[in-house]
Amino acid sequence: KQDANSVLHVVYKGNLQIGLCKDCCKRWYFIFNDVECKNPGPIDAVMSGGLGLNYPFYSYGRIEGFCETRFSSGPVRIGLQMEDCPGFSRSRIPYNVNLYKRYGNILIQEVSPSQ
């Protein structure tokens, strides 16, 4: 970041995968310097479903939001994570997000804070 008072705008467009399970749920979310955004809140999306234990399911999705948490100027490490939703069990088969054609784009912008 160039300005300590700026806000980070993040957008992900691409595959949101879920599968190799029945009645499962996955939460995709952005992290900033290894923690979720607290202000105004998490930037996330939830995918639920699952067609079978041997069938991966791919869907196009978009996750977008603003993180107003204050970071000092300089590098900010941004990542996109995935976890099981609370109350849903994991697949018995190891989940590998590189199963099929993976694609996606992440846009990160530093913008002025809202007034």
Side-chain angles (χ1 to χ4, degrees), residues 47-67:
M47 289 283 296
S48 62
L51 302 175
L53 296 176
N54 60 357
Y55 185 81
F57 175 69
Y58 303 91
S59 179
Y60 176 84
R62 180 182 177 106
I63 305 168
E64 179 174 10
F66 292 89
C67 185

Side-chain angles (χ1 to χ4, degrees), residues 64-78:
E64 179 174 10
F66 292 89
C67 185
E68 297 179 12
T69 300
R70 298 293 184 224
F71 301 100
S72 59
S73 59
V76 176
R77 184 171 176 222
I78 299 173

Side-chain angles (χ1 to χ4, degrees), residues 6 14 23-25 41 63 82 112:
S6 66
D23 301 322
C24 52
C25 178
I63 305 168
M82 180 187 67
S112 299

